[in-house]
Amino acid sequence: MKLGFIGLGNMGAPMARNLLKAGHDLVVFDVVQGNVDALVQHGQDRATAAATPAAVLAGGVDAVITMLPAAQHVKSVYLGNDGLLSANVKGVVLIDSSTIDPMSAREVAKVAGDKGALMLDAPVSGGTGGAEAGTLTFMVGGEEPIFNQMKPLLQAMGKNIVYCGGAGNGQVAKVANNMLLGISMIGTAEAMALGVSLGMDPKVLAGIINTSSGRCWSSDTYNPYPGVLENVPSSRGYTGGFGSDLMLKDLGLATEAAKLSKQPVPLGSLAQQIYQTFSMQGHGGLDFSAIIKMFTKK
Ligand code: NAD
């Protein structure tokens, strides 16, 4: 296929490289020229640069994938002057893989649908490692026939491609999962810190939790206590992984969506406030498991 790709950052660049690897041709755009140059150079004659989002569509593409930081960037790329929806998008599939709030996703999908485009929201989990390896999970909202049509394309970038329902539902799945992840990481950190402060060896405690009813992904795969697991951020100074500020962003999306739908999320709100405090203390760049620092002496 001939594809557009907009947003060639930490996630977008490796995803675009996997599309080239699968044999697709790309027309790319990013506001950072260096990101565009690197991808065009990587793709040699199969990747070309466009000057604006609308220009990505100029030579005729089957689908466009966007991978942008937040809702404001998505709205500008789709709805702005020179945005994708200022061009002729009839019959083009537009796939937004950015993590944004479900309401904004539905707003953009409505305008896209009115212009004759076919839109999917398809946020991902799996991080930059999953983007490199082509093993991301895609949570997809939109019309099911379009999902079925695009599934093989998404499989060039991901391993689990899951249909979640109508427009915005991919984002709903993403924010619900990440809210639970934030809550469970804080809970695991609290429990580990309590046990160690009362005299338990952290590895023995983690072993008990992981074969008992407290077990969760944060305890058995990504334990926040240093030295319990190898090859996780807690054992390398909380570097790499999923930044606390990104977790804070996702908790903000969850609590905002909850507010708009009048749905109580007391633990999600508390988790958001705890990560906000942690970020204010200057730790936003550390992996999100570093939240255990809130409960330990050093
Ligand atoms: P990033 O900041 O590295 O990349 C975003 C890219 O978008 C940058 O290259 C930036 O220049 C470009 N951009 C910004 N505004 C633009 C505009 N108006 N037009 C064109 N390009 C523009 O971010 P990322 O880490 O690649 O994350 C992208 C999205 O994926 C975010 O919504 C994030 O929450 C989500 N996500 C990230 C991870 C992760 O581990 N990094 C994991 C899952 C989901």
Side-chain angles (χ1 to χ4, degrees):
M1 281 200 246
K2 189 170 176 191
L3 305 168
F5 204 109
I6 300 178
L8 302 163
N10 293 330
M11 295 292 287
M15 289 165 71
R17 290 198 294 268
N18 281 328
L19 291 172
L20 287 167
K21 201 160 125 194
H24 301 290
D25 291 338
L26 297 185
V27 184
V28 300
F29 174 72
D30 193 293
V31 285
V32 175
Q33 192 57 40
N35 292 355
V36 173
D37 294 343
L39 206 281
V40 168
Q41 197 181 1
H42 180 88
Q44 297 177 338
D45 55 343
R46 290 198 296 112
T48 53
T52 63
V56 166
L57 295 157
V61 291
D62 304 297
V64 181
I65 296 136
T66 52
M67 193 50 168
L68 299 155
Q72 78 211 62
H73 311 95
V74 172
K75 285 186 183 170
S76 130
V77 161
Y78 281 83
L79 309 176
N81 299 332
D82 295 327
L84 284 168
L85 299 178
S86 70
N88 179 9
V89 284
K90 221 172 167 40
V92 179
V93 181
L94 303 172
I95 304 173
D96 181 36
S97 283
S98 326
T99 300
I100 64 171
D101 65 283
M103 284 72 178
S104 296
R106 287 174 181 153
E107 185 187 327
V108 175
K110 169 85 176 65
V111 183
D114 290 348
K115 301 239 174 188
L118 313 160
M119 178 125 197
L120 299 173
D121 51 288
V124 301
S125 67
T128 50
E132 288 286 350
T135 56
L136 294 169
T137 292
F138 281 85
M139 294 155 262
V140 188
E143 300 283 334
E144 197 163 10
I146 315 298
F147 166 78
N148 290 329
Q149 192 188 324
M150 287 296 124
K151 197 171 169 184
L153 172 68
L154 299 177
Q155 280 166 335
M157 301 177 284
K159 203 166 62 171
N160 301 312
I161 320 295
V162 187
Y163 181 65
C164 300
N169 277 16
Q171 301 293 355
V172 171
K174 171 84 183 171
V175 297
N177 178 71
N178 278 24
M179 183 179 84
L180 178 56
L181 175 62
I183 294 168
S184 71
M185 181 54 78
I186 295 168
T188 303
E190 234 177 80
M192 288 297 302
L194 173 68
V196 173
S197 77
L198 294 174
M200 280 289 293
D201 175 84
K203 275 194 180 176
V204 176
L205 177 58
I208 300 288
I209 291 174
N210 292 337
T211 50
S212 305
S213 44
R215 182 180 64 83
C216 64
W217 185 89
S218 298
S219 69
D220 73 1
T221 308
Y222 212 87
N223 199 291
Y225 205 93
V228 167
L229 295 175
E230 287 173 15
N231 300 324
V232 292
S234 57
S235 293
R236 51 169 189 261
Y238 301 100
T239 56
F242 181 53
S244 293
D245 274 347
L246 282 179
M247 174 51 83
L248 177 59
K249 172 198 157 188
D250 288 357
L251 287 167
L253 294 178
T255 50
E256 272 306 302
K259 200 193 296 172
L260 290 171
S261 61
K262 300 195 163 59
Q263 175 65 31
V265 286
L267 293 184
S269 298
L270 184 56
Q272 193 266 345
Q273 288 295 312
I274 291 172
Y275 274 100
Q276 192 148 298
T277 307
F278 194 53
S279 179
M280 191 195 69
Q281 291 171 348
H283 303 305
L286 295 179
D287 178 75
F288 82 114
S289 62
I291 201 72
I292 197 167
K293 287 176 183 288
M294 300 279 276
F295 311 109
T296 50
K297 286 202 177 106
K298 54 179 170 75

